[in-house]
Amino acid sequence: MNQVIQQLANKKINSLLPLPEYFTNDIWESNALAEILHLKHFPNYNRKFRFDMIENPNFREEVKRYFYTNLTSGRWCLATLVGQTYTSVLFFSKFISDIYPDATSILDCPHEKIRKLYLVHLKNYKKARVTSSKPSRMSSSYSYFYSVVDQVYKFLFDLYDDRSEQEKDIWSIEKLGLPYNMSRRETQINFTNIHPTYRGFVKKYFYHVLVLQRQISIATAFNILKKVYLFFNFIAERHPDWTDTRNLQRTDIEAFLEHVWKVDMGGNSHIKIKTPSNRHVSECIANTRRILEYAQIYGWNEAPKEPVHLLLVKEDMPRREKKNYYDHIKHIPDHIWEQVQNNLHLLHPSLARLVLVMEASGFRVSDVCQLDVDCLVYKSNGWWLKGDQRKVNHIDHLVPISEEIVTVVKLQQEYLQTEKIYNPYHFLFPHIIGKASGKAMSQKTVRSALERLAEKLDLRDTAGNIYNFKNHAFRHRYGVNLINNGMQILHVQKLMAHTSPEMTLTYARILDDTLRKEWEKAHASIRLNVSGTPVLVDISVQAEENGLELDWIRHHLDSVRMDHGFCIKSPKLHCDFLEQTLEPPCIKNNCRSFHVDTTFLEYYTSQIDQLESDVAVYMTKGRTRSIELVQLKIKRYKEIRDLLLADKPIMGIEKEKREYVRSERHG
């Protein structure tokens, strides 16, 4: 038996976790539990939990503490206990108690051996339901029964293990007291994939830079561990007699470089079994160097004797491709967001509110999931949302929000208070049930819910595929909308807490694309000829007639747009019809600078409906002259509308006309 486990099993559980008086009983009643622990319950539960059915008295005390801890921590509600949880744990406890009736602790029983024996027991109990040793291939019911083994062992191991975290091979982030992203479910730092020879060395480094000096974040620690194990495992295999890196030579580094370029990157992510990239190799080298350099600077015995800058040279680092932020900007388009808004009732109310806040605030999903319940701030100029921007270490960042979003936040606050949701961290959006109860809503939960919604609504992207929601796309949508609405770059940068303008400028490039699309809609549109009849026109011809360049029009499209069409007239020229107001003077006077495209269809359709309604009113009042004037206007509006409707789909103007001015085109 493992010596550590043996030592743990010899400790007395009564001294480690004494129980309040009621919980020392071997029979618990559901209604009494609900009253003592203020748990949510239904009046008709009236259930008894019989721990006296576990023969081994030591096992009985351990299992009672397993239930007590999960109930009092808020991880379980009473419904969880009444359901399959109690049955599965009791079933396992009775099984192991029969095999080891005299053991002093469940930890006395070999974990792997018990797992195998219990699987056989489950198969014998109902053979048709269990066909594999892998829980994922069992029925959901028996998978849950099987997973109880690991859950109980882990609980007891953590309970008995009073070693300091740095002595362990798996560190609990919470026990270390370090801040971390609770919207992710990564709560442990695992060193077990590092060869035992160098595991202590690596743990020592992390204890100094992460716990003592706080030089790196938890996220950085994860990223280092994803790569650095490759080096130490390689050295352990290359020099099995070494116990440190003191004799490390340049030849070892070169051998590692050759190795890392040949071995697939591996892992459980989308990059699994892929050829190593420049970035992958670069991170392997950089993370190895940072540990060796640190050890050498502080004079650790494990450090190489040879200076690290001679072992690892800058030429070892392959060039990494420059990150193009623009390629990563995928914002939620309006038509997708409108459908999400119209169907938010299909999501859990808390999730629906979270999505609304995420879209309206521009906060990263991790920061929305970890918003404090008291996140509303009222000032003389309106309501603001307050939250931390953890990625850039910006505390209490404020963004303005509408009254509608204020209402959404207040509804969530009321829900937490009314339902008495377990919320020890004071989150606006806590996870409600399960082992993560009370922690922040997870990012994965949000994305999974949106993906299910896309499937249900059959939301499609431009390629015809089911729309792939990414949480960060809501933040990009916020930035794009701010730019599209005319906000200055510096103001957008401040509002989104960008540390540099580079990212913000990317949204401006998206705006330029938006303008170009609007500009391309103006191609193959119509104008009025000298007799007032609408005719098809190419905007490039019309621009040339008026002495304008296409490039100028493209970048000033909003400036030349009116309610009823575009004015393709040089701003240097005076408009002869500017003072006329009885009806659109461009139409009345057959202005050659007047230009209409399909984006104005809604305007003419609504105007025709309104004018026809006016005619009906005039007819009842006998206003013949008014009817004549309005019907003439209706006739002209219908001519414009019908020609727009009959036009072929707009394909966009030629590339050279879009991107070059006239002199450049012929140059």
Side-chain angles (χ1 to χ4, degrees), residues 23 62 66 98 190-191 230 343 410 415 420 437 450 459 565 606 637:
F23 295 94
E62 290 178 330
Y66 176 65
D98 290 341
N190 193 331
F191 297 95
L230 289 168
N343 292 278
K410 288 184 175 179
Y415 164 73
K420 297 181 179 178
S437 177
L450 289 169
L459 299 182
S606 62
Y637 278 19

Side-chain angles (χ1 to χ4, degrees), residues 49-88:
F49 306 106
R50 311 225 19 187
F51 299 103
D52 58 344
M53 298 176 70
I54 303 172
E55 295 291 337
N56 186 312
N58 299 310
F59 292 1
R60 188 186 312 146
E61 292 304 315
E62 290 178 330
V63 171
K64 282 197 293 186
R65 282 159 177 79
Y66 176 65
F67 279 87
Y68 171 77
T69 301
N70 282 291
L71 283 171
T72 55
S73 68
R75 292 176 181 172
W76 293 352
C77 61
L78 193 53
T80 303
L81 186 58
V82 170
Q84 198 175 39
T85 300
Y86 167 69
T87 306
S88 59

Side-chain angles (χ1 to χ4, degrees), residues 286-304:
N287 289 326
T288 298
R289 183 171 60 193
R290 71 193 300 167
I291 294 179
L292 297 179
E293 279 183 345
Y294 189 93
Q296 205 166 71
I297 289 170
Y298 286 91
W300 291 359
N301 292 331
E302 301 92 337

